[in-house]
Amino acid sequence: MNQIPNSSDSHNSPAASDCGHAAPSPIAAICGHNRITPTILRRGIQAAFAVFLTWVGYNFYLYVQWATGQSQIYTPKPPSVEGFLPISELMAARRLFETGMWDAVHPAGLTLFLAIALMALLFRKGFCGYICPVGFVSNLLGRLGERLGLSRTPPRKLELAFQAIKYIPLALLGYFSLFAMGVDEINAFMGAPFNMVADSSMLFFFLHASGTTLVVVGVIVAASLVVRNAWCRFLCPYGAFLGLFALASPVAVRRNAATCTSCLRCQRACPSAIAVHKKVRVNSPECLGCTACIEACPQKDCLHLSAAGRRVPFWTVVAGCLVVLLGAYVWAVYTGHWTSEIPPAMLRRFHMIQFGG
């Protein structure tokens, strides 16, 4: 493997200059006068979501304490936590498209699942690049690895082999959820006690992690220090799923070959190490739409973000993703597709049965 040079030498960002020419908007105002670069904007939004999800996690912990009889103080379950149940919601989405039935057990999970898929379809893997907390941690570990001099770039053939790994669990999940299981079987799964408390089971999985789990997490952390974004690039089946949707996105980074000097700064800055300097339109399933490559490019007008052939500001991806997410939330709350219809007392009984509270 080759050592990755530090990408912090990027300058003269053409992306930052896009802010001054964009139509007025809250994000455009924030980015005005070249004060906010793509990296700063991305890190700020990732940090904000990390704080929000920490609050969600804490309140969910209090809810589980009540649901398992460890506390008599009732704390409502934050519906956002259901966004971490992609297996259940893939089945729920399949049932929705076949029968029109919305998931009554984890309605917010299905809302978020569909919203995230729509984000990928319209704005590449903006969810992975700006919102996902695991991606945020992976990014930080990658930066730490660079500062410690540990980062390496695997040979291209080995990288492709590693990238294929995440499609294996995705293919298995897709087969069982979309083909092997019928609607009746999915209905039985959706109403099973295990699915009723699936989010709590996930919490206990980490709170009472086994030795094997700790070893696996340790290996992933170590790999993330050595290879940039190892989890996201090589192991995450959710990212693989979104990457396939992103191939149809009208938004992509474009390169002007006439002004490109193949300096490789774009590839070194890219969280997915995409060879941007070899492409005219970056339509890789690994692209996060973060525009770090545009920020790093020293050549004016060499790289830019485009949507349906038209040049757009670098913040288009994150703005679009936030609009989709907020719109889905408002719609779900207004139409009753956000909070579960299962009475809290019944869920508490399921918790007592499942976890012996």
Side-chain angles (χ1 to χ4, degrees):
M1 295 186 182
N2 301 318
Q3 186 169 358
I4 300 178
N6 196 310
S7 60
S8 61
D9 60 348
S10 56
H11 57 84
N12 296 334
S13 167
S17 65
D18 286 346
C19 293
H21 301 288
S25 75
I27 293 184
I30 292 174
C31 296
H33 308 295
N34 296 335
R35 290 177 297 181
I36 301 297
T37 65
T39 296
I40 293 176
L41 179 63
R42 183 181 177 214
R43 292 288 182 261
I45 292 177
Q46 285 179 318
F49 271 102
V51 171
F52 168 72
L53 292 173
T54 299
W55 176 83
V56 168
Y58 176 69
N59 280 273
F60 180 59
Y61 172 78
L62 295 179
Y63 161 78
V64 172
Q65 288 291 99
W66 170 83
T68 56
Q70 304 302 309
S71 171
Q72 297 307 311
I73 302 176
Y74 172 66
T75 300
K77 184 183 79 171
S80 302
V81 76
E82 296 174 0
F84 294 93
L85 301 174
I87 296 177
S88 175
E89 296 320 324
L90 179 59
M91 295 184 184
R94 188 268 180 95
R95 184 179 67 172
L96 172 66
F97 293 133
E98 288 199 18
T99 68
M101 295 174 57
W102 200 271
D103 185 0
V105 179
H106 301 298
L110 181 55
T111 296
L112 291 171
F113 180 82
L114 296 177
I116 291 169
L118 181 60
M119 288 182 207
L121 189 62
L122 296 177
F123 303 104
R124 308 211 69 83
K125 292 167 65 174
F127 171 80
C128 301
Y130 289 92
I131 298 173
C132 178
V134 180
F136 180 44
V137 173
S138 183
N139 292 164
L140 295 180
L141 289 172
R143 293 294 295 172
L144 178 60
E146 288 182 5
R147 293 183 180 278
L148 295 176
L150 301 176
S151 296
R152 300 293 185 273
T153 300
R156 180 58 177 165
K157 290 184 179 180
L158 184 60
E159 180 183 12
L160 292 175
F162 285 160
Q163 287 179 356
I165 295 175
K166 62 179 178 285
Y167 291 99
I168 297 175
L170 176 63
L172 293 174
L173 176 60
Y175 170 74
F176 285 108
S177 301
L178 303 178
F179 302 104
M181 297 180 67
V183 174
D184 290 340
E185 292 172 299
I186 290 178
N187 283 333
F189 172 83
M190 302 300 288
F194 172 80
N195 184 55
M196 294 283 183
V197 298
D199 38 16
S200 299
S201 296
M202 175 186 61
L203 176 64
F204 284 122
F205 177 79
F206 289 103
L207 289 180
H208 306 293
S210 65
T212 301
T213 299
L214 293 176
V215 169
V216 171
V217 172
V219 169
I220 292 174
V221 169
S224 299
L225 291 171
V226 176
V227 181
R228 190 188 321 163
N229 283 6
W231 166 260
C232 304
R233 292 165 63 189
F234 307 139
L235 300 173
C236 181
Y238 206 172
F241 170 76
L242 297 179
L244 297 178
F245 274 72
L247 291 175
S249 173
V251 177
V253 171
R254 298 189 69 92
R255 180 180 69 96
N256 182 354
T259 58
C260 179
T261 62
S262 296
C263 66
L264 304 185
R265 290 189 181 184
C266 51
Q267 184 175 8
R268 292 197 295 266
C270 175
S272 301
I274 299 172
V276 179
H277 62 287
K278 295 181 179 180
K279 303 179 181 296
V280 175
R281 183 175 185 269
V282 184
N283 196 32
S284 168
E286 305 301 321
C287 178
L288 307 180
C290 67
T291 68
C293 56
I294 299 178
E295 180 184 3
C297 181
Q299 299 299 316
K300 184 179 180 180
D301 295 328
C302 179
L303 297 177
H304 69 272
L305 191 67
S306 71
R310 299 186 61 180
R311 182 167 182 154
V312 294
F314 77 86
W315 44 261
T316 298
V317 170
V318 63
C321 287
L322 292 178
V323 167
V324 170
L325 186 60
L326 180 59
Y329 167 73
V330 172
W331 171 85
V333 170
Y334 182 75
T335 60
H337 293 86
W338 187 249
T339 305
S340 176
E341 299 176 0
I342 311 299
M346 181 180 294
L347 288 175
R348 195 182 200 200
R349 287 197 294 271
F350 277 118
H351 278 79
M352 295 293 190
I353 294 172
Q354 191 73 17
F355 303 111

